[in-house]
Amino acid sequence: MISSRTAAVLALALAACGQPAPAPQAPSNAAPSRPPVADDPALDEVFRAEVQRQAIELGLRVRAWGTAPLAVDEPIRFATVAADDTVETGAYFLMDTRGRWWRVDFTVDGRSRLWPEQGDGGPEAPPWLRLDDRTLTVWQGWRGGYDEMQLALQDGELRLARRGHLEDARDSDVPEESDYTDDGVCGGRCIAIPEGGAVNAVVGPADPAVLRDNPPLS
């Protein structure tokens, strides 16, 4: 940045050479750049510790965790917790860069598909993933059909971005597909999550203590 005094000296020198003087630069008020909060290893550890605690309390296991751009302008920490077909409860945990939490409850059985398709819930902690997925997918099948809900964060709320539904192919039904995004991004168009689909319930945004006080319904 050129100070006023330096600019004046340069002006005199450049005037003598027949060149125009540079205009003085205004001081910058921009904040110094910093890495995104989602790359904070300490906050990652806080998230993992809380997810582990809640998974143990629910009798579930962590199947996958990491970050994914589920909001337009920020990566979101996520975790998938589930057991097996004998425990018909699963949940996705989310935390944004402000420290707000969500839990998405769903049913686990032989026709469920977990997102992302990673890990078997063994004793070893799964790797920390960095996904490019812009939506969290809740998928539940049944004989002859399925329901798929793709969720994303929009203005601090978890919303439905896309949905696929097939009631019963045996009755010659065809899949119903709905897309509420603007080229894959919510952009204000995603809708409230309807009842009666693959998502059983959503808790949040809330403090993790609220999630602990409201466990999934089995």
Side-chain angles (χ1 to χ4, degrees):
M1 184 173 65
I2 302 175
S3 66
S4 298
R5 181 175 179 181
T6 303
V9 173
L10 287 173
L12 291 174
L14 293 172
C17 298
Q19 299 183 25
Q25 300 178 11
S28 174
N29 294 323
S33 61
R34 55 176 296 180
V37 178
D39 288 335
D40 185 341
L43 201 54
D44 292 343
E45 188 56 38
V46 169
F47 176 75
R48 286 192 289 260
E50 180 63 31
V51 167
Q52 287 278 30
R53 172 183 177 179
Q54 297 207 28
I56 292 172
E57 291 178 355
L58 295 172
L60 306 176
R61 300 189 297 270
V62 178
R63 308 292 288 269
W65 52 19
T67 61
L70 304 180
V72 173
D73 56 352
E74 63 176 297
I76 303 298
R77 291 174 176 84
F78 75 86
T80 305
V81 300
D84 50 38
D85 297 351
T86 63
V87 181
E88 296 184 351
T89 301
Y92 296 109
F93 289 90
L94 305 176
M95 185 179 75
D96 68 6
T97 55
R98 298 182 185 181
R100 297 177 297 186
W101 285 69
W102 290 261
R103 192 189 67 231
V104 180
D105 302 337
F106 58 93
T107 299
V108 177
D109 61 25
R111 296 186 175 98
S112 305
R113 293 181 185 175
L114 298 182
W115 174 91
E117 296 182 6
Q118 302 275 341
D120 58 3
E124 299 295 328
W128 186 252
L129 305 173
R130 293 185 182 275
L131 304 181
D132 295 326
D133 301 35
R134 289 190 172 276
T135 57
L136 179 163
T137 301
V138 187
W139 199 99
Q140 180 61 49
W142 53 81
R143 188 177 182 184
Y146 68 89
D147 189 68
E148 177 185 29
M149 291 184 166
Q150 296 185 31
L151 313 181
L153 283 168
Q154 172 183 288
D155 300 327
E157 296 292 336
L158 201 57
R159 312 278 283 184
L160 181 66
R162 297 189 185 94
R163 188 177 190 182
H165 183 88
L166 175 61
E167 190 62 33
D168 195 338
R170 297 170 299 170
D171 292 336
S172 300
D173 291 341
V174 296
E176 300 174 5
E177 305 287 343
S178 301
D179 188 343
Y180 305 103
T181 69
D182 182 5
D183 195 24
V185 177
C186 272
R189 297 178 54 187
C190 294
I191 67 171
I193 301 170
E195 297 181 356
V199 174
N200 291 346
V202 174
V203 182
D207 183 271
V210 175
L211 274 59
R212 292 195 297 270
D213 292 340
N214 295 272
L217 298 176
S218 58

